[in-house]
Amino acid sequence: MSTDAGPAITRYDFTRGALRGTHFTLYANCLTHRGENHLETLPLAAIASLRVAYERDARRLGWGVALLVVALVLFAVSAPLAELIGTASAEMAAAGASGVARALQGLFRFFLAVANALPFAGAAIALAGVALGVVGWLGNTTLVLDFAGSERVYPVRGRNPGLLDFSEAVCERLMSLKS
């Protein structure tokens, strides 16, 4: 077996995500993953299998929908709750200025302020839900290299045809080695 890797067959650059700034290079008998601070050489003969798939993140989509439902509930209950607490606060004010009544009126004013803030909290939660939903909908293209007893996972945000094409080139090289 030759120790020279030979010329590069193809290359894939990670342009975003956790692996941004690193790249794969496919040679005749090995695959290298190189970054600014690391170099990993993976012999093609050691790769048991290769999987690549694009998948949406159902968990993030679900959390996004759940947050939108929570936001809608907050919007729905804020006005009736503020009206109810405002009425109770006005009744306490009309009851007199004794110590207990004044303390209850202060408590009702606090709850009124919280009820009036619910639409703002609902808007923030709705924005978070939309963001989670979008990230879940975009999904990941993930390359998984299986070795005897371990695996390496390389995710890329969104549908990434470049990673699919690179994986196809690696598969072709793997098949030529096995025959």
Side-chain angles (χ1 to χ4, degrees), residues 4-172:
D4 181 26
I9 296 171
T10 187
R11 176 180 162 134
Y12 175 77
D13 293 311
F14 291 95
T15 57
R16 57 185 171 206
L19 299 172
R20 182 180 60 213
T22 66
H23 63 272
F24 275 132
T25 306
L26 175 63
Y27 295 98
N29 59 0
C30 68
L31 177 65
T32 64
H33 183 220
R34 182 184 296 259
E36 187 175 310
N37 300 321
H38 78 280
L39 170 66
E40 181 178 28
T41 302
L42 308 166
L44 292 179
I47 298 174
S49 70
L50 178 147
R51 293 185 315 269
V52 64
Y54 167 73
E55 296 174 338
R56 289 193 164 87
D57 191 342
R59 183 175 173 190
R60 286 189 180 171
L61 275 169
W63 275 106
V65 169
L67 287 177
L68 286 173
V69 169
V70 167
L72 288 174
V73 168
L74 289 178
F75 284 129
V77 301
S78 66
L81 189 60
E83 183 179 334
L84 178 69
I85 293 172
T87 303
S89 178
E91 288 176 9
M92 273 301 150
S98 69
V100 174
R102 197 169 22 211
L104 279 176
Q105 186 180 7
L107 183 65
F108 281 137
R109 284 184 184 163
F110 169 75
F111 285 137
L112 182 61
V114 169
N116 287 330
L118 286 179
F120 299 110
I125 291 171
L127 287 175
V130 167
L132 269 176
V134 166
V135 169
W137 184 258
L138 289 176
N140 287 322
T141 302
T142 305
L143 170 65
V144 180
L145 299 175
D146 288 320
F147 300 94
S150 69
E151 70 179 15
R152 302 275 198 296
V153 179
Y154 302 94
V156 177
R157 171 89 40 227
R159 185 181 302 269
N160 194 306
L163 187 57
L164 293 171
D165 293 342
F166 178 81
S167 300
E168 201 170 308
V170 173
C171 285
E172 288 172 5

